[in-house]
Amino acid sequence: MFCLTSIAGIRDQETLETCQPGVLVDSGGQEVNEVHSGLFVHEALVLDSRLQAEGRAREMQCLEEFGVFEEVCADSLPEGAIVVDSRWVEKYKVVADDLQVKSRLVGKEFKTGQDDANFSPTIRPETVRLAPALESRQREHLRKQGMPVARSTAVADVGTAFLHADVEGDLYVRPPADMRKHNTLWRVLKALYGLRQSPKRWFLCLSEKLKGMGYQQSSHEPCFFWKAGRSDDPFHLTASVCVHVADLLWLGDTAVVQEDIRELGGQVTLKHEGARVGSSASWSYLGRTLRQSVNGDLDLSMGGAYASALAKELEILRSSENIAEPPEDATPLNADEVSRLRHVVGVLRWVSTERPDLLSALSKIGLASPTRRDWALATRVVQYLLRFPSLTVPFTKRQIPVTFPGRGLAVDIFTDSSWGGNALSGWVVYVDSRVVSYGCRKQKVVALSSCEAEYYAASSGVVEGQGTVSLLEEVGGESIKRPVTQRDNDQGMEPSVSRVSVSLYMDSSSARSLCGRVGVGKVRHLSTRVLWLQELVQSRRLSVKKVHTEVNVSDLMTKLPSRRTRATLMPMLLEGL
C-alpha cells in the first residue's frame, strides 16, 4: 500500500483509506495504469463513481457559464474545418475538508502538430527575484527617510483562467464518449484547456486587461508589468506584477495593489491573499515559498518538503554538512536505478532554482550513462539537502565585496570558472547588492589556459547580467539616461549613457587584462564571438574589477559546498544556515 497522503494534495488519511489502488479508465475507454502526483509515481486510484459524476457536472456547469461552446450539426461544418477529440482529466481533491473529484474537460489537439505562432511566454526565475529585489529597495528607502512604508505583497490566482479568453478562428471539438449526441459537435468559443492556442489567447487577454489598468508591459520580459513611480527615482515603482500563466505576484503601494486586484477581480475569477508591511506572512508562488517579515523584508525558498521526500526515496537516514567528491566507480547502474536517479536529479534541479549551493554538484552528475559514482554523488547531495533543507534567498542588501560603487543603480556581476575536464562557468548577479541571478554551465569549448576559461566564464556571466540590465533600462525609461559631457566625448563614450552602472568582478588578473585589450593578442585561438566583452569595456558600459578569490561569491557556483564556502560565501547568497 502506498502513501495516500502524497496524492493530489490529499490530507485526510482516514477518509482515503477506503480508496483502494486499481485501474483507472478514461472516457475513451483507455486504461491509465499510473498517475503522477507530487514527487513520485503511484498506482492509479479507482475514482468513486458518485464523486466523479458530481465533478463532471460541476465542470459542465462551469463551461456553460463561460459560454465555452455551442452545439452544431456535424454535417454543417465548413470544408477543411478542424475537429479535435476531447477527454476527461480527473483527480481527487480536498476542498474545505470535503473529498471531491476534480474533473476537467480538455481538448486533444496535441495530435495536430506544432504551431510556433501559438507560443506563450512564461516568466524567468531571474525576474521573479528582480521584482522583490526592487520592492525591497523601495521599502528600505522609505524606512531610511522616516516615511510610512505603505506597501503590500499579494499573490493571486485566476480560476479556470483559459476560459476567460476567446479562441481565434473556427475550431470544433468532438465531445467525450459520455457526452456525445448523434451527429453533434461543439463549436469552441472560448480557450478550452488542451487547445494549442489557449495559453497564448489567455496571456493576450490578461495582458490587455493589465495594460487597460495603466500597467506597462516589458518587451524584454513580457510577463513583467509595472506602474511608474517617482520621477526622481525611476526604479521606485508604484506597483509591479509578475505573471506566470494564471499565477500573479503583486508588489507595490497598498492602495494601488488593493484597487487593482479589486478591478481585475471584477473581470476574471480571482482568488488572492495579501499582507501589508507591518505583518508577517508567507505564500506559495510557482512552487516556491515567498515570505514577508514584519518590517517588510522579503525572501524566497523552495521549502523543506523536498529534502525529506527525496531522503525517503533513496532511503537516506543521515545528513551531511558538506558534499564531498565520491571516488571513481565506473560500474553502470541497472535500468531501475537509472530511472530513479534521473527522477531524483530532476527534482534536485528544480530545487536548485532557489538553492544555488547545489548547482555545482548537480553539474557533475552524468545522466546519459550513469554509474555508481553518479549515484553516490546524488546521494550526497540529498544528504546535504537534508542537513540544510530550508535555506532562503533574501532580498535585503548583502555584504558583497564591491570595491567602487558606480553611479546610479549598481549591477554587480561576479564570475569564476573551473579549469580542466568539464570546465564550468559560474556567475552571480546583484542589483543594488541584492541577489537576482546565478547559475553555472559547462563550457562548450576546451580552454587551453585558466585565463581563457575565466574569460569564457566572464562572457557567460555578463550575458546574464545584460539581460537584467536591459529590463532595468526598460523599466527606468528615458529618465535613466543622461547627456554626455565633453570629457565623456573625449573618452569615446556613447551619446547617451545609462545610469545603471555595470561592474564585472573577477579573480583572474590575466582574464581582466584580456577584457581591457583590443583583439586576441597572444590568445590567438580565442573565439571571435566572445570579444564583445572588449567592446563593452572600451565603450565604458562595463567596468572590470578585481575581487579576491576568498570572497568571490561565484566560486560557490563552480566548487562543491564546504566548510569554507559555507562560512564565507553562502551568507552573500543565502540565509538560514
Side-chain angles (χ1 to χ4, degrees), residues 41-55:
V41 178
H42 304 280
E43 300 173 63
L45 292 174
V46 174
L47 295 177
D48 180 89
S49 58
R50 179 183 62 83
L51 297 178
Q52 185 181 50
E54 293 175 354

Side-chain angles (χ1 to χ4, degrees), residues 389-407:
S390 303
L391 301 186
T392 64
V393 177
F395 297 111
T396 52
K397 277 193 172 186
R398 301 287 89 195
Q399 295 297 320
I400 58 176
V402 180
T403 53
F404 302 105
R407 62 179 182 276

